[in-house]
Amino acid sequence: MPPRGLACLFLGLLAYPQAGMAQVVTRVVPTGEFVAPKPGEAVQEIRLEEDRHRRMTVEVTVDGRGPYRFLVDTGADRTAISRELVGRLNLAPGRPARLHSATGESRVATAVVPDLRISAKQVGDVDAPVLDARHVGADGILGTDSLRAQRVLFDFRRDIIAITPASPRLQKDEQDTILVQANRRAGRLIITEAEAGDQRLAVVLDSGSEVTIGNRALQRRLLRRGQVRMAGTVELLSVTGEKLAADYAFLPHLSLGGVELRNVAVAFADAHTFRQMGLEDEPALLLGMNAFRAFDKVSIDFAYRKLRLKLPGAEPARIASP
């Protein structure tokens, strides 16, 4: 545990291909159904370098000024702010922080962010680690410390994010919505009802990462069972600017609660995040935005630990089980 007064922040990754990444169709269907490829089905090309420029952000205000664009990062336990915005607002320095990113641990400066508000709702005063905007891709990052009483909705059809207070009242879900119960670990939400092939694993919801990241324990088990084949290598770039080498592959099947994702691009690496969460020795994934985008909508309720997945609007063709 860090000394008192030192913040711990877990951050997502951007990925840059070193080798050309193949095209892949990412499909999502209710678990147990069989689907046939559709004639002329659209193909999702993995262009991770471009994704850094289209990260989904929300508007926030700081001490009545703004709005500014902050990335919503469900894999970060602390809110962060860009060095450029700190200078523009002339924010006071806070206590130094111990920052844990996927590439390791470092000590960073913080700034006191007064009266941080999302949709006019006050989150509070925050001591936020200071990062370079060129690595973040936004004015700052909203971590789970700012989201623990909120419900975050990613609407990929309309390309928006909505953040609203979590409610104990039962929510009326849209048709074709799958509800998955999550657990909490170190402030983040983890799905334990998950499988890759026939391998059980823990899945951490990480909207701050544009690519799904698997640990080496999962990679070894899938390779040993012949359930995945490496397709090449990529270089992962942390928001701190540090790099991490990884192998990448396309998982034929990833079961998450009541749905199955097909052909999901995954980078396998010795990410420091797994060690910090005690997941380095058991199969685990950080589920990134490339997987989230397979759905029409993804809703994450932090207060009540619920994940809602709205299946794509187009009905997949079904074929009988052999």
Side-chain angles (χ1 to χ4, degrees):
M1 294 294 290
R4 184 175 179 80
L6 285 183
C8 280
L9 177 69
F10 293 79
L11 298 170
L13 292 164
L14 302 175
Y16 299 85
Q18 291 178 333
M21 295 190 75
Q23 292 187 328
V24 59
V25 177
T26 300
R27 298 285 302 278
V28 53
V29 298
T31 300
E33 291 188 4
F34 294 83
V35 297
K38 293 181 177 180
E41 184 173 37
V43 174
Q44 174 192 357
E45 185 173 356
I46 303 299
R47 294 184 179 273
L48 299 175
E49 190 168 357
E50 290 183 357
D51 282 343
R52 69 183 306 205
H53 303 296
R54 54 191 287 266
R55 311 185 90 188
M56 295 180 72
T57 58
V58 294
E59 292 185 349
V60 305
T61 60
V62 177
D63 203 19
R65 289 175 285 182
Y68 306 109
R69 306 299 304 187
F70 274 48
L71 173 73
V72 177
D73 189 349
T74 61
D77 69 342
R78 289 293 298 270
T79 293
I81 190 168
S82 72
R83 195 177 314 278
E84 292 76 3
L85 187 55
V86 169
R88 195 184 317 160
L89 299 178
N90 195 27
L91 299 180
R95 302 184 66 175
R98 181 175 294 172
L99 183 148
H100 292 271
S101 71
T103 52
E105 178 183 333
S106 56
R107 193 177 174 95
V108 298
T110 70
V112 178
V113 182
D115 194 24
L116 178 66
R117 292 177 181 261
I118 309 170
S119 302
K121 177 178 175 57
Q122 185 178 22
V123 175
D125 295 345
V126 178
D127 261 16
V130 178
L131 305 168
D132 290 333
R134 71 180 185 275
H135 298 316
V136 175
D139 294 316
I141 293 172
L142 283 178
T144 58
D145 60 332
S146 298
L147 301 171
R148 53 179 165 250
Q150 310 296 319
R151 173 178 173 263
V152 180
L153 172 66
F154 297 90
D155 187 331
F156 295 109
R157 285 213 161 183
R158 295 190 294 163
D159 201 31
I160 61 171
I161 300 179
I163 300 180
T164 57
S167 171
R169 292 176 297 181
L170 291 177
Q171 171 182 324
K172 184 177 180 181
D173 292 324
E174 298 178 65
Q175 186 178 2
D176 296 327
T177 297
I178 304 295
L179 176 64
V180 182
Q181 186 65 50
N183 298 317
R184 196 188 308 278
R185 184 184 295 195
R188 297 157 199 79
L189 295 187
I190 293 186
I191 307 299
T192 55
E193 188 186 345
E195 293 183 356
D198 59 2
Q199 175 61 59
R200 295 286 301 230
L201 72 154
V203 174
V204 182
L205 305 180
D206 189 359
S207 64
S209 178
E210 282 295 344
V211 63
T212 295
I213 302 167
N215 64 6
R216 295 296 188 185
L218 176 60
Q219 181 184 15
R220 287 191 295 269
R221 296 197 189 187
L222 292 176
L223 285 172
R224 189 163 54 242
R225 299 180 184 194
Q227 294 177 336
V228 73
R229 184 171 59 184
M230 294 300 105
T233 61
V234 290
E235 189 172 73
L236 303 178
L237 179 65
S238 167
V239 291
T240 62
E242 298 170 302
K243 298 177 181 179
L244 181 67
D247 304 313
Y248 78 85
F250 297 107
L251 288 184
H253 304 282
L254 175 62
S255 174
L256 187 66
V259 298
E260 180 178 292
L261 289 84
R262 300 189 176 182
N263 299 328
V264 181
V266 176
F268 292 95
D270 286 319
H272 180 70
T273 309
F274 293 118
R275 290 192 293 276
Q276 280 301 120
M277 298 189 67
L279 293 172
E280 71 273 28
D281 296 325
E282 61 179 288
L285 279 178
L286 306 178
L287 195 71
M289 291 296 279
N290 67 313
F292 283 24
R293 292 180 194 276
F295 300 93
D296 278 356
K297 297 178 182 179
V298 174
S299 169
I300 304 174
D301 187 326
F302 287 91
Y304 298 96
R305 306 188 308 279
K306 294 184 184 298
L307 171 69
R308 288 178 169 86
L309 304 168
K310 173 68 169 63
L311 299 180
E315 182 70 14
R318 303 180 184 181
I319 60 176
S321 173

